[in-house]
C-alpha cells in the first residue's frame, strides 16, 4: 500500500511540476475562465494558505512602504464597518473581498521568479483572449457583419457584467501579447499564437466600442516606448512622435469609434451628475467616509432621503470613479493610504528596473530586454488606475488590478532573480 501511495504521490508531483508551478497555472486558468463561479473563492483561499505556509517569501515581498500602505488601507476598510452608513452591507462586501486579498498576498510565494510571472501573465491573457474570441463569434453569429460594429455593444447578455469590463480585459491581454512579442526568441508557432491573440484583443476593443478603454489603451501604448527605451535622446524623439500620433488619433477618434462624436460625450451618460454628487457627499464626511463597499454607496445615494442623489437615467452602484469611490468609502484617510500605496508600488518597480538596467550588458537590446517585464506590469496597473479616473474598476478588472500588484511585489522581492526573461 505504501508503494502504491508513493507512486500516486510521484505522479501528482510530475503533473504539478516543480514546486507545484503547473498546478498553480491551472488554478490561474480556471480563475480567468470563470471569475465569478462559486469555486473561485476556494481556489483563492488555497492560494492564500499556500502563501502563509511560505511566509518568509511573503515577508520579503510585502515588507516595504507599498506593502505597509496597502495593509493599513485594508485595516482602515475593516474598521470602517464601525461607522459605515450600512454596517451589514460593508461587512458582507469585506467578507467577499477576503479571498482576493489572501490570494494577492500569496502571489510572491507562488510566482517567485520572472519566468513564472511571465507564465502566469501568458496563461491569463490566453484564457481571457479565448473567451473574447468565443464572444466575438457569438456576436457575429447573432448580428452578422454589417451590424457587428454598431450593435455589439448593446447586445445582451454581456461576456462580463459590462462592455467596459470586457474591453479593459481585452486591452490588458493585448499588452501582455504585444510586450511578449518584443522578447523575441520564440518559435514561429508561438509567435503566431501571440499575434493571433493580439489581433483578437484589438478587434474586440474596436467591436465593443467602449470609449474609455480605447482612449486609455492608446495612451498607455504610446507611453510604452518612454519606459522601454534606455537612451534619453531616443526617449525624447519617441515622446514627440507619441504626441504627434496621439493628436492624430484624437482628431480621427470619430472615425475610429463614432461614439466619440455622439451626444453622450457632453455629459458622459450622466456620469458627471453622479461624480458631482459623490464629491458633495465626500466633503460632508471627509475623514471617515461612508463605509467600505458598494452596498454602503447604494444605501446612502439611493435610499437615504437626506443624501439621495439627483435622478439619472442609469443606476450606478458605485461612484463610477475609483478615485472618488475610495474617499467615499474611507474618507481622505483611505485616499491617502491607497494613493501612497500605488505611488510607492510604482516607485519600487521603477527603482528596481533602473538597477536591473544598470547591471545589464551595455548592448542596447539587452537593456531593453531587462525592462520588458517590469514595464508590462507597470503599464497594466497604470492602464487600470488611469481608467479609474472616469470609471470604477469592478468585476474582473478589480481582480486584475490586485493580481498585477501582487505580481509586481513578486518581481521586486529582494530574493528574486534580476534578469530572467
Amino acid at each position: 500500500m505504501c508503494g502504491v501511495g508513493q507512486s500516486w504521490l510521484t505522479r501528482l508531483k510530475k503533473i504539478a511540476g516543480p514546486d507545484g508551478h503547473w498546478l498553480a497555472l491551472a488554478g490561474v486558468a480556471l480563475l480567468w475562465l470563470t471569475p465569478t463561479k462559486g469555486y473561485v473563492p476556494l481556489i483563492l483561499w488555497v492560494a492564500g494558505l499556500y502563501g502563509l505556509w511560505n511566509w518568509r517569501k511573503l515577508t520579503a515581498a510585502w515588507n516595504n512602504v507599498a506593502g505597509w500602505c496597502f495593509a493599513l488601507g485594508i485595516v482602515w476598510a475593516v474598521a470602517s464597518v464601525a461607522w459605515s452608513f450600512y454596517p451589514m452591507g460593508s461587512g458582507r462586501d469585506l467578507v467577499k473581498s477576503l479571498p482576493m486579498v489572501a490570494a494577492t498576498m500569496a502571489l510572491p510565494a507562488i510566482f517567485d521568479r520572472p519566468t513564472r510571472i511571465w507564465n502566469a501573465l501568458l496563461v491569463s491573457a490566453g484564457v481571457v483572449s479565448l473567451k473574447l474570441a468565443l464572444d466575438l463569434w457569438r456576436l457575429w453569429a447573432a448580428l452578422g457583419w454589417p451590424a457587428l460594429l454598431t450593435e455589439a455593444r448593446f447586445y445582451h447578455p454581456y461576456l462580463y457584467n459590462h462592455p467596459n469590463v470586457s474591453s479593459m480585459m481585452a486591452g490588458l491581454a493585448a499588452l501582455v501579447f504585444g510586450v511578449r512579442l518584443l522578447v523575441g526568441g520564440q518559435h514561429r508557432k508561438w509567435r503566431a499564437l501571440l499575434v493571433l491573440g493580439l489581433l483578437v484583443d484589438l478587434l474586440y476593443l474596436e467591436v465593443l466600442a467602449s470609449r474609455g478603454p480605447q482612449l486609455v489603451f492608446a495612451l498607455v501604448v504610446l507611453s510604452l516606448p518612454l519606459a522601454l527605451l534606455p537612451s534619453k535622446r531616443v526617449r525624447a524623439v519617441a515622446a514627440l512622435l507619441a504626441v504627434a500620433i496621439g493628436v492624430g488619433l484624437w482628431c480621427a477618434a470619430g472615425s475610429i469609434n463614432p461614439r466619440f462624436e455622439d451626444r453622450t460625450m457632453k455629459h458622459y451618460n450622466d456620469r458627471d451628475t453622479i461624480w458631482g454628487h459623490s464629491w458633495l457627499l465626500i466633503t460632508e464626511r471627509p475623514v471617515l467616509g461612508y463605509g467600505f463597499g458598494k452596498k454602503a454607496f447604494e444605501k446612502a445615494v439611493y435610499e437615504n432621503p437626506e443624501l439621495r442623489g439627483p435622478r439619472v437615467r442609469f443606476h450606478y452602484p458605485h461612484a463610477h470613479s475609483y478615485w472618488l469611490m475610495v474617499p467615499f468609502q474611507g474618507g481622505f484617510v483611505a485616499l491617502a493610504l491607497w494613493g501612497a500605496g500605488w505611488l510607492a508600488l510604482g516607485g519600487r518597480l521603477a527603482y528596481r528596473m533602473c538597477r536591473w538596467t544598470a547591471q545589464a550588458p551595455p548592448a542596447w537590446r539587452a537593456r531593453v530586454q531587462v525592462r520588458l517585464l517590469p514595464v508590462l506590469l507597470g503599464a497594466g496597473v497604470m492602464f487600470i488606475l488611469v481608467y479609474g479616473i472616469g470609471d470604477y474598476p469592478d468585476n474582473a478588472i478589480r481582480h486584475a488590478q490586485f493580481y498585477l500588484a501582487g505580481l509586481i511585489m513578486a518581481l521586486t522581492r529582494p530574493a528574486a532573480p534580476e534578469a530572467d526573461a
Side-chain angles (χ1 to χ4, degrees), residues 9-30:
L9 185 61
T10 302
R11 291 181 184 179
L12 183 61
K13 286 182 177 179
K14 287 182 178 179
I15 293 172
D19 301 328
H21 178 53
W22 295 113
L23 193 60
L25 290 178
V28 167
L30 282 173

Side-chain angles (χ1 to χ4, degrees), residues 362-397:
W364 185 83
R365 180 173 175 78
R367 297 176 71 194
V368 171
Q369 286 285 317
V370 81
R371 289 170 173 250
L372 288 173
L373 183 53
V375 165
L376 171 60
L377 292 172
V381 171
M382 284 303 299
F383 183 38
I384 296 172
L385 292 178
V386 174
Y387 171 78
I389 295 173
D391 204 346
Y392 182 66
D394 205 3
N395 197 273
I397 316 176

Side-chain angles (χ1 to χ4, degrees), residues 143-166:
L143 300 173
W145 177 248
L148 187 63
L149 293 175
T150 57
E151 301 300 325
R153 178 177 179 80
F154 310 103
Y155 186 79
H156 292 261
Y158 294 129
L159 175 62
Y160 295 101
N161 67 330
H162 194 279
N164 286 1
V165 177
S166 47

Side-chain angles (χ1 to χ4, degrees), residues 81-95:
V81 175
W83 61 78
S84 173
F85 199 81
Y86 184 26
M88 185 177 294
S90 291
R92 288 175 182 173
D93 284 342
L94 279 165
V95 170

Side-chain angles (χ1 to χ4, degrees), residues 79-397:
S80 73
V81 175
W83 61 78
S84 173
F85 199 81
Y86 184 26
M88 185 177 294
S90 291
R92 288 175 182 173
D93 284 342
L94 279 165
V95 170
K96 289 181 180 179
S97 300
L98 284 178
M100 184 187 70
V101 172
T104 300
M105 294 288 291
L107 285 173
I110 300 171
F111 303 108
D112 56 356
R113 62 199 70 169
T115 49
R116 294 185 174 184
I117 296 172
W118 268 119
N119 289 341
L121 290 170
L122 289 169
V123 167
S124 304
V127 171
V128 168
S129 298
L130 178 60
K131 286 175 63 96
L132 299 178
L134 292 173
D135 195 47
L136 282 173
W137 178 264
R138 175 184 71 94
L139 292 169
W140 178 81
L143 300 173
W145 177 248
L148 187 63
L149 293 175
T150 57
E151 301 300 325
R153 178 177 179 80
F154 310 103
Y155 186 79
H156 292 261
Y158 294 129
L159 175 62
Y160 295 101
N161 67 330
H162 194 279
N164 286 1
V165 177
S166 47
S167 295
M168 285 293 294
M169 297 306 295
L172 288 168
L175 288 173
V176 172
F177 291 139
V179 174
R180 185 64 187 184
L181 280 167
L182 297 177
V183 172
Q186 302 101 341
H187 190 275
R188 281 183 298 177
K189 291 182 180 179
W190 284 112
R191 289 200 300 272
L193 286 175
L194 292 174
V195 171
L196 178 61
L198 178 60
L199 291 176
V200 166
D201 299 328
L202 295 178
L203 178 60
Y204 200 90
L205 272 169
E206 176 64 19
V207 168
L208 266 289
S210 291
R211 293 168 298 194
Q214 286 182 354
L215 179 62
V216 182
F217 180 76
L219 289 173
V220 170
V221 171
L222 290 174
S223 301
L224 282 177
L226 305 182
L228 283 175
L229 299 173
S231 168
K232 292 182 179 179
R233 291 182 179 178
V234 177
R235 283 202 300 269
V237 174
L240 292 174
L241 286 174
V243 170
I245 294 172
V247 171
L249 288 173
W250 181 251
C251 293
S255 300
I256 298 170
N257 182 354
R259 296 185 68 242
F260 277 107
E261 293 184 343
D262 70 19
R263 61 183 180 81
T264 63
M265 282 296 291
K266 185 176 181 180
H267 298 294
Y268 306 99
N269 282 332
D270 295 331
R271 292 180 197 175
D272 55 337
T273 302
I274 203 68
W275 292 335
H277 187 66
S278 298
W279 176 251
L280 178 65
L281 296 183
I282 290 168
T283 58
E284 293 182 2
R285 282 196 185 186
V287 178
L288 300 178
Y290 294 81
F292 178 81
K294 294 188 291 185
K295 289 183 173 62
F297 178 87
E298 291 189 272
K299 196 79 170 178
V301 173
Y302 289 102
E303 297 183 26
N304 185 274
E306 296 179 2
L307 304 177
R308 185 179 297 151
R311 289 182 177 273
V312 292
R313 289 171 292 170
F314 303 96
H315 178 87
Y316 290 116
H318 45 66
H320 223 292
S321 167
Y322 177 77
W323 299 104
L324 285 174
M325 191 64 177
V326 170
F328 183 93
Q329 296 175 109
F332 289 109
V333 174
L335 183 62
L337 290 173
W338 287 101
W342 292 116
L343 281 174
L345 186 71
R348 179 179 177 81
L349 186 63
Y351 171 72
R352 289 302 180 92
M353 186 178 70
C354 290
R355 282 188 56 194
W356 297 334
T357 303
Q359 294 168 3
W364 185 83
R365 180 173 175 78
R367 297 176 71 194
V368 171
Q369 286 285 317
V370 81
R371 289 170 173 250
L372 288 173
L373 183 53
V375 165
L376 171 60
L377 292 172
V381 171
M382 284 303 299
F383 183 38
I384 296 172
L385 292 178
V386 174
Y387 171 78
I389 295 173
D391 204 346
Y392 182 66
D394 205 3
N395 197 273
I397 316 176

